[in-house]
Amino acid sequence: LANACANSTENQVAARHADAIGVLVEMVREGTSHEVLECAVAAIRNICVNCRENQEELHRCGGIQPLLLLLQSETRPQLLEYTVGAIWKACTLCDANKVAIRAHGIKTIEALAADENLGSEIRRCCQALLQVVDAVPLGRAAGGLPAGGLPAPRGEPTGEGP
C-alpha cells in the first residue's frame, strides 16, 4: 500500500474510500511486529502526502497519538524515520493534526531533532516537522540547517509543505 500510494493521488483517494487509514492506525495501535509497523507507518506517510482529506481522516481516526508513541530513540532507526515522516506528512495541510502534535509531541520531537546519536535523515525530518507545526523560532534549525531551507525528502514529491 505504501508503494501504491507514493506519487499517486488516485491511489491515495482509493485508500481513503477503502478505510485503509483506519485499518493502518489500528495496526499501529496494536503494536504488531517491527516489519508490519514499518509497512503500516510508511503507508500512512504516503497516503497523507499532499492530501488534506487523508490527513483529516487520520485525525478522525485518532492516528497521531499512536504514531507519537513510536517516537523513542530506542525505536529501530528505519521505523523511527518512517514515523517522523508520517507525522510530518500528516500535518502539512491539517491544522487539527498540528494541534495534536503541539499538545502531545513537541518536546519528544525537539529531543529527537537534537539527538546526535540518531541519523541525519531522522533529525532532518524532525526539524522539518517542527517547522511545519510552527515550533521552531524563525532562523533556528537543528543541525545547522537554515530555517525553511530543508530539501524535500528523498522519494517524495515536492509541492505544498516542506
Side-chain angles (χ1 to χ4, degrees), residues 19-154:
D19 195 32
I21 296 169
V23 171
L24 292 166
V25 168
E26 193 55 38
M27 290 170 70
V28 172
R29 276 193 189 112
E30 290 175 3
T32 54
S33 72
H34 285 291
E35 292 79 14
V36 172
L37 277 172
E38 286 177 7
C39 290
V41 172
I44 290 170
R45 180 195 61 206
N46 291 349
I47 285 171
C48 288
V49 171
N50 295 324
C51 185
R52 179 183 311 276
E53 294 84 2
N54 287 359
Q55 292 176 26
E56 291 170 350
E57 180 62 20
L58 183 69
H59 174 72
R60 283 189 287 279
C61 292
I64 294 296
Q65 190 65 26
L67 290 170
L68 290 173
L69 292 173
L70 293 175
L71 294 181
Q72 302 172 22
S73 59
E74 57 272 1
T75 298
R76 285 177 39 171
Q78 188 66 61
L79 178 56
L80 188 57
E81 183 178 325
Y82 289 168
T83 302
V84 173
I87 295 168
W88 173 18
K89 296 306 177 181
C91 70
T92 58
L93 303 171
C94 180
D95 288 341
N97 286 341
K98 290 178 188 179
V99 169
I101 293 163
R102 283 185 197 122
H104 304 289
I106 284 297
K107 293 205 182 301
T108 300
I109 296 163
E110 288 175 335
L112 291 172
D115 187 342
E116 294 185 11
N117 294 317
L118 296 176
S120 61
E121 183 67 8
I122 294 170
R123 292 191 327 269
R124 184 191 71 79
C125 289
C126 285
Q127 183 61 38
L129 173 56
L130 290 169
Q131 289 179 349
V132 168
V133 297
D134 299 322
V136 176
L138 190 59
R140 188 190 121 219
L145 294 172
L150 298 173
R154 286 175 268 140

